[in-house]
Amino acid sequence: MAVAVTCVASRSLFTRIRAYPSFSFLSKSKLYPLHIKASSSVSQTMEGSEIKEEQGTGKKIFVAGATGNTGKRIVEQLLSKGFAVKAGVRDVEKAKSSLSGDNPLLEIVKADVTEGSTKLAEIISNDTDAVICATGFRPSFDLFAPWKVDNFGTVNLVEACRKQNVKRFILISSILVNGAAMGQLLNPAYIFLNIFGLTLVAKLQAENHIRKSGINYTIIRPGGLKNDPPKGNIVMEREDTLYEGSISRDQVAGVAVEALLQPESHYKVVEIVARAEAPKRSLQELFSSIQQR
């Protein structure tokens, strides 16, 4: 999982943390026993509660954080399935070099989730069917960076969706966001990720806002994010269940994209990791196995 420093810390600590682009949640230990496909001519539209294929509507999927390590993979997988994508980025020129800029299904737009819901609503506009939020704050010494992006930024996106009557919202969050209620206060991963700006607390508050908004949501909480190709099959559990494990960003992107197509994913919070010993199951089966809260 990408980790950013947001408090005044020593230069050596900041350098050391940035040297690790991903973070695997530690395995269970006695040290903390508290227990705590569509063609390129097909666009996607929302009909009822499902995203369906429909010719000529021009409807798009808006991806916030589209140039991030996970967001970029989401964009790629959406395009490969024939979705029209509006990629929200902070630097359009930089995005053109990292995304499939020549793909006719891709529109790259400047979007900063910290700038408020009104401006975001204008960018999302009325040609968007669903929003996928894959944002994450960048390394800085700003104590409030996690709240600006992972909390207020997500809330801004949700409110922008409400202004434009976008009915589907998918959030990439994290396992252990509710670690305190799970009895995981002494879990090293929970401690580590909250030391720098209370990142997990910010994410949890954003999740709560989504749930109260009335929008049709799927909240995906992955374990430690890996840039490597997938190793093992996806394990999906209900909220506040997993407190260890990791998963490839490619698999996380696949779950996010599939959530658009599976009614079984609606109004659910799911937690995902990958395990070599896990049986291979379809995402439809995995989503169906999770009960709504």
Side-chain angles (χ1 to χ4, degrees):
M1 176 176 291
V3 177
V5 180
T6 58
C7 65
V8 178
S10 70
R11 182 177 298 274
S12 61
L13 176 60
F14 181 77
T15 303
R16 215 166 60 232
I17 292 172
R18 290 194 65 185
Y20 295 92
S22 60
F23 181 81
S24 296
F25 288 94
L26 304 180
S27 60
K28 188 176 180 181
S29 166
K30 292 182 179 179
L31 293 175
Y32 47 97
L34 299 178
H35 293 317
I36 19 156
K37 266 181 187 191
S39 70
S40 60
S41 63
V42 177
S43 61
Q44 311 297 320
T45 185
M46 184 75 84
E47 182 175 309
S49 58
E50 301 176 49
I51 298 285
K52 297 197 174 195
E53 302 172 5
E54 184 174 316
Q55 293 281 356
T57 64
K59 291 292 187 176
K60 300 175 181 179
I61 309 302
F62 181 89
V63 180
T67 54
N69 286 325
T70 302
K72 181 166 60 176
R73 288 166 168 83
I74 291 172
V75 170
E76 291 170 350
Q77 292 195 32
L78 285 169
L79 292 173
S80 72
K81 288 181 177 290
F83 284 95
V85 178
K86 185 181 291 189
V89 303
R90 291 195 291 186
D91 188 332
V92 173
E93 292 305 314
K94 182 179 179 181
K96 289 178 180 177
S97 64
S98 61
L99 298 175
S100 305
D102 57 347
N103 191 315
L105 289 174
L106 176 64
E107 177 187 1
I108 300 174
V109 296
K110 181 175 176 59
D112 186 338
V113 297
T114 66
E115 292 185 347
S117 62
T118 300
K119 190 169 184 178
L120 281 172
E122 294 174 357
I123 297 166
I124 290 172
S125 72
N126 61 359
D127 64 350
T128 296
D129 273 325
V131 167
I132 300 178
C133 179
T135 56
F137 70 99
R138 294 182 177 181
S140 76
F141 290 107
D142 182 358
L143 181 64
F144 299 103
W147 291 87
K148 291 176 181 177
V149 177
D150 291 323
N151 183 272
F152 303 133
T154 302
V155 169
N156 287 337
L157 272 175
V158 172
E159 293 309 304
C161 287
R162 296 175 69 179
K163 292 177 189 293
Q164 293 292 359
N165 201 30
V166 176
K167 300 184 182 299
R168 193 77 173 94
F169 193 94
I170 296 171
L171 173 70
I172 308 300
S173 184
S174 173
I175 65 172
L176 279 177
V177 292
N178 204 23
M182 295 168 64
Q184 291 287 318
L185 284 172
L186 298 183
N187 185 321
Y190 184 77
I191 295 170
F192 183 77
L193 292 174
N194 271 324
I195 283 176
F196 308 110
L198 296 175
T199 305
L200 296 179
V201 177
K203 288 179 180 291
L204 180 61
Q205 293 302 313
E207 287 188 12
N208 291 338
H209 181 82
I210 294 169
R211 291 174 137 174
K212 296 174 182 177
S213 69
I215 199 167
N216 182 345
Y217 66 84
T218 303
I219 297 172
I220 300 167
R221 297 176 176 176
L225 296 171
K226 298 289 188 180
N227 292 326
D228 303 326
K231 296 179 181 178
N233 295 316
I234 295 174
V235 173
M236 182 179 289
E237 299 288 352
R238 69 185 301 276
E239 62 183 297
D240 301 343
T241 299
L242 298 174
Y243 54 89
E244 60 179 354
S246 60
I247 188 169
S248 168
R249 293 180 189 271
D250 293 321
Q251 290 170 304
V252 176
V255 173
V257 173
E258 193 66 21
L260 291 172
L261 303 170
Q262 298 296 337
E264 293 84 358
S265 71
H266 295 178
Y267 300 101
K268 289 182 180 179
V269 179
V270 300
E271 300 187 340
I272 54 173
V273 296
R275 293 176 183 158
E277 72 278 9
K280 186 173 180 60
R281 302 170 67 189
S282 71
L283 287 173
Q284 180 179 13
E285 182 182 0
L286 289 170
F287 278 124
S288 297
S289 70
I290 306 300
Q291 297 298 312
Q292 289 182 352
R293 182 175 174 177

